[in-house]
């Protein structure tokens, strides 16, 4: 069970999560994010210290410390309990204050700062459970969660060390608490799994222990069929295939970390998205099973640049293609969408600008056009080739919107279009109206 930052955003919500995780006696591991707003504050503290702005860093830290002092008082109203809890919490702030006064500050120190949010959450939860008389054991993430030299999770290491920690727990322990997001790298230094990494922590743990189910608890009732910040009356999608969920996460659905699905998919472990504020709601179940013959959802990714390269005809077709892709590989820039003819390639990257050295290299292959401020809109569902009509429904919905690129057939689960960022809202509304307006889009009038 992973609980995000909004789920543990206050003393009241920490207590509510404690209710949820103690509601049943089944064995469970609870992964906690930092309290909402904490990681942003810690990031800013690190930035200020890197810029040698000690006073600004201390101002942010003092404000954060005051917030934690207030929430600790609310979570531990008994004075004795509060004193014990605040002594524990204050150790973190003493550590951070010492870093602020250090004469040197490095990237290694910045990673140490970022780890403190999750360490605070787990410490407060464990102390709160102890006050309730609930037996729970902490699993320090820095003792089992590690990445390899390619900065990818070292799954063999994780499995071996996590299993050993669990074996060491007192016999009969049913509840374990651990930190999301944080880890050590291949050299033993404190590191992290990047933003949203608590989801990744949960699925890596689930895969390592081959659990029955992985639950991601947030502040929304599952994955919705469109962006609720733009489209009114969106609804949760109750069932998704692993691939459908991966596509939606990659192309902008914020509820899920884009890479976290893969460990669960490899072990065929269902992932359930649930709402901490409405725990009885069914949420979204992600598994190998899914509803067929349906368009499920729409997601959008911003900050996209489109590049069109037209060959100067000095290279053969296969050589031209190979050199273009080799340049993007050399610059470690992933490509989202591709459309090609014999003499030209159009592609998109998730960047606001094209690096000057890459632009210069591409100009050696031919003429290029670059369009900024673009948005990728992805429509996900059962898009197998023999499900005729879905692509027509999608394109009919966009009949009045300029579309720069279309990608279809690269996956059985999505059709993707590229529009100008200024047309994003209009595109999402049009798709919502045409695909989900009166009823879910289904193949055939009788379905």
């Amino acid at each position: 069970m992973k609980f995000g930052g909004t789920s543990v955003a206050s003393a009241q919500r920490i207590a509510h999560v404690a209710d949820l995780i103690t509601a049943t006696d089944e064995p469970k591991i609870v992964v906690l994010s930092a309290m909402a707003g904490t990681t942003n504050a810690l990031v800013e503290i690190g930035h200020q210290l890197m810029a040698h702005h000690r006073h600004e860093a201390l101002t942010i830290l003092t404000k954060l410390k005051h917030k934690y002092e207030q929430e600790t008082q609310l979570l531990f109203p008994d004075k004795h309990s509060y004193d014990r809890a605040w002594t524990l919490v204050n150790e973190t702030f003493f550590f951070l204050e010492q870093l602020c006064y250090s004469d040197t500050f490095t990237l290694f120190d910045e990673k140490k700062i970022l780890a403190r949010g999750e360490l605070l959450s787990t410490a407060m939860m464990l102390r709160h459970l102890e006050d309730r008389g609930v037996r729970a054991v902490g699993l320090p993430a820095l003792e089992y969660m590690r990445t390899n030299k390619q900065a990818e999770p070292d799954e063999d290491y994780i499995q071996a060390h996590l299993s050993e920690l669990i074996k060491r727990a007192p016999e009969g322990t049913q509840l374990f608490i651990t930190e999301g997001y944080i880890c050590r790298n291949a050299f033993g230094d404190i590191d992290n799994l990047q933003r949203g990494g608590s989801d990744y922590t949960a699925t890596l743990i689930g895969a390592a222990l081959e659990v029955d189910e992985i639950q991601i608890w947030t502040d929304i009732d599952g994955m919705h069929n469109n962006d609720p910040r733009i489209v009114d009356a969106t609804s949760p999608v109750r069932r998704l295939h692993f691939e459908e969920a991966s596509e939606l996460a990659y192309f902008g659905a914020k509820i899920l970390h884009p890479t976290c699905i893969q460990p669960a998919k490899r072990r065929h472990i269902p992932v359930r998205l649930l709402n901490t504020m409405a725990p009885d709601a069914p949420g979204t179940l992600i598994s190998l099973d899914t509803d067929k013959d349906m368009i499920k959802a729409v997601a959008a990714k911003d900050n996209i640049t489109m590049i069109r390269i037209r060959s100067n005809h000095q290279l053969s077709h296969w050589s031209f293609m190979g050199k273009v892709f080799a340049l993007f590989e050399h610059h470690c820039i992933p490509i989202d969408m591709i459309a090609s003819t014999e003499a030209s390639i159009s592609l998109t990257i998730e960047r606001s600008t094209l690096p000057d050295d890459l632009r210069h290299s591409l100009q050696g292959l031919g003429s290029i056009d670059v369009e900024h401020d673009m948005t990728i809109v992805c429509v996900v569902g059962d898009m197998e080739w023999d499900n005729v009509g879905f692509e027509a429904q999608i394109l009919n919905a966009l009949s009045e919107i300029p579309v720069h690129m279309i990608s279809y057939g690269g996956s059985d689960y999505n059709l993707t279009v590229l529009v100008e960022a200024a047309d994003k809202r209009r595109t999402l509304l049009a798709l919502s109206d045409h695909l989900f307006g009166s009823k879910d889009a289904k193949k055939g009038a009788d379905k």
Side-chain angles (χ1 to χ4, degrees), residues 276-297:
T276 312
M277 316 311 164
D280 294 329
T284 299
L285 180 64
I286 303 167
S287 67
L288 289 172
D289 192 20
T290 186
D291 296 318
K292 303 291 286 182
D293 299 337
M294 290 181 66
I295 294 177
K296 304 291 184 56

Side-chain angles (χ1 to χ4, degrees), residues 224-384:
H224 280 227
N225 61 5
N226 211 320
D227 189 338
R229 296 167 300 181
I230 295 175
V231 179
D232 291 332
T234 63
S235 59
V237 183
R238 295 307 178 197
R239 295 204 302 171
L240 287 169
H241 190 278
F242 284 118
E243 294 293 343
E244 293 171 330
S246 293
E247 296 284 358
L248 288 170
Y250 182 76
F251 285 107
K254 303 298 183 185
I255 189 174
L256 203 59
H257 188 275
T259 55
C260 84
I261 286 295
Q262 300 311 314
K265 177 188 171 187
R266 286 195 294 271
R267 298 294 179 94
H268 300 173
I269 300 171
V271 177
R272 197 179 297 274
L273 309 182
L274 294 164
N275 186 350
T276 312
M277 316 311 164
D280 294 329
T284 299
L285 180 64
I286 303 167
S287 67
L288 289 172
D289 192 20
T290 186
D291 296 318
K292 303 291 286 182
D293 299 337
M294 290 181 66
I295 294 177
K296 304 291 184 56
V298 178
K301 182 192 280 191
D302 299 318
N303 197 39
I304 301 297
T305 294
M306 183 183 79
I307 306 106
R308 181 178 292 113
I309 310 110
R310 295 182 179 84
S311 172
N312 55 20
H313 299 289
Q314 294 178 4
L315 298 169
S316 59
H317 177 50
W318 53 87
S319 181
F320 169 65
M321 292 276 190
K323 287 184 180 298
V324 169
F325 295 138
L327 286 173
F328 283 89
E329 179 185 12
H330 175 73
H331 287 82
C332 300
I333 297 177
I335 296 169
D336 285 323
M337 294 178 67
I338 301 171
S340 67
T341 67
E342 183 178 353
S344 68
I345 302 174
S346 293
L347 51 85
T348 68
I349 59 175
E350 190 181 358
R351 295 175 68 108
S352 58
T353 59
L354 182 66
D356 289 339
D357 50 348
L358 176 55
R359 179 192 293 267
H360 178 73
S361 299
L362 289 172
Q363 286 171 337
L365 303 178
S367 63
I368 69 169
D369 295 315
V370 180
E371 297 285 346
H372 304 292
D373 298 320
M374 309 296 284
T375 293
I376 290 175
V377 178
C378 175
V379 182
V380 164
D382 183 11
M383 298 285 187
E384 292 190 11

Side-chain angles (χ1 to χ4, degrees), residues 146-195:
R146 190 176 79 166
T147 55
N148 57 27
K149 290 182 180 179
Q150 289 73 46
E152 296 294 336
D154 187 338
E155 296 193 38
D156 290 338
Y157 182 98
I158 294 166
Q159 184 174 31
H161 287 73
L162 179 58
S163 298
E164 182 59 32
L165 283 174
I166 290 174
K167 285 179 186 176
R168 280 192 239 152
E171 186 176 351
T173 300
Q174 297 286 78
L175 181 59
F176 298 88
I177 311 294
T178 191
E179 302 90 359
Y181 176 65
I182 66 175
C183 65
R184 291 191 186 273
N185 59 29
F187 307 100
D189 299 315
I190 293 177
D191 212 322
N192 57 67
L193 299 172
Q194 307 299 314
R195 280 304 185 100

Side-chain angles (χ1 to χ4, degrees), residues 66-136:
H66 180 64
K67 172 186 175 181
Y68 271 85
E69 190 171 9
Q70 287 182 314
E71 298 301 338
T72 304
Q73 288 173 342
L74 292 170
L75 189 60
F76 302 94
D78 176 78
K79 186 180 185 306
H80 177 66
S81 294
Y82 167 77
D83 288 342
R84 293 177 67 213
W86 181 246
T87 297
L88 195 64
V89 171
N90 199 34
E91 287 176 1
T92 283
F93 287 98
F94 178 75
F95 170 80
L96 294 173
E97 286 164 0
Q98 294 299 107
L99 278 179
C100 288
Y101 284 109
S102 173
D103 292 332
T104 60
F105 187 81
T106 68
L107 288 173
F108 297 108
D109 295 319
E110 185 176 38
K111 295 292 178 64
K112 291 176 185 177
I113 285 178
L114 295 181
R116 292 292 142 174
E118 279 68 23
L119 291 168
L120 280 168
S121 292
T122 53
M124 292 174 73
M125 179 61 78
L126 283 165
R127 185 66 69 194
H128 178 63
L129 291 170
E130 183 181 337
D131 272 9
R132 287 187 176 207
V134 175
R135 185 170 69 173

